[in-house]
Amino acid sequence: MPLFVVTCTDQAGTVEKRLAIRPQHLARLEQLNAEGRLIVAGAMPKDPSNPKAGFYGSTIIVDFDSREALDAWLADEPFLKEGVYSHIDVKPFNKAFPKG
C-alpha cells in the first residue's frame, strides 16, 4: 500500500480548541495504529515544554490504499472539521529507512 506524508498547518489562535478536541483526534490515530496503517504521527509545538504556547501543526505518515481513501479519512478529521487546521498538504512517500 502507498505511504503518504500529511502535513497539517494550525490556524492561529486555536490552541484551546486543539487541546479540547485532541482526544477525538487521538482516537482516530489509535484506530489507524491498531490497523497497522500509522507509521508515525506527532504535533509540532511552538514550545515543546508548554502546550499552551500553541502549535505549528501536525505531521503524520500513513499507509492507505489510495489517495482517495486517505482523502475520505481526512474529511472526518476533527481538527479539520473544527477549524484547527487551516491547511493540509499530502504528498506520496517512499520509506527507505529504517528497513522493514
Side-chain angles (χ1 to χ4, degrees):
M1 288 193 244
L3 299 179
F4 298 92
V5 174
V6 182
T7 306
C8 309
T9 304
D10 279 22
Q11 186 107 253
T14 59
V15 68
E16 295 301 326
K17 186 184 288 189
R18 177 189 247 273
L19 295 175
I21 297 168
R22 187 172 184 259
Q24 297 168 46
H25 168 76
L26 293 180
R28 296 183 80 239
L29 292 174
E30 287 170 4
Q31 179 63 39
L32 275 185
N33 191 50
E35 295 168 2
R37 298 189 299 146
L38 181 63
I39 308 306
V40 68
M44 297 177 289
K46 293 181 179 179
D47 178 351
S49 65
N50 179 13
K52 299 277 185 178
F55 295 83
Y56 296 107
S58 306
T59 298
I60 63 173
I61 300 176
V62 291
D63 189 342
F64 273 85
D65 290 330
S66 65
R67 171 64 194 263
E68 293 77 19
L70 171 58
D71 287 345
W73 183 83
L74 286 170
D76 287 328
E77 167 54 47
F79 283 169
L80 182 61
K81 288 171 72 172
E82 297 297 328
V84 173
Y85 290 154
S86 64
H87 177 74
I88 293 180
D89 183 56
V90 177
K91 294 201 172 38
F93 182 73
N94 291 331
K95 180 182 168 195
F97 293 96
K99 301 280 185 186

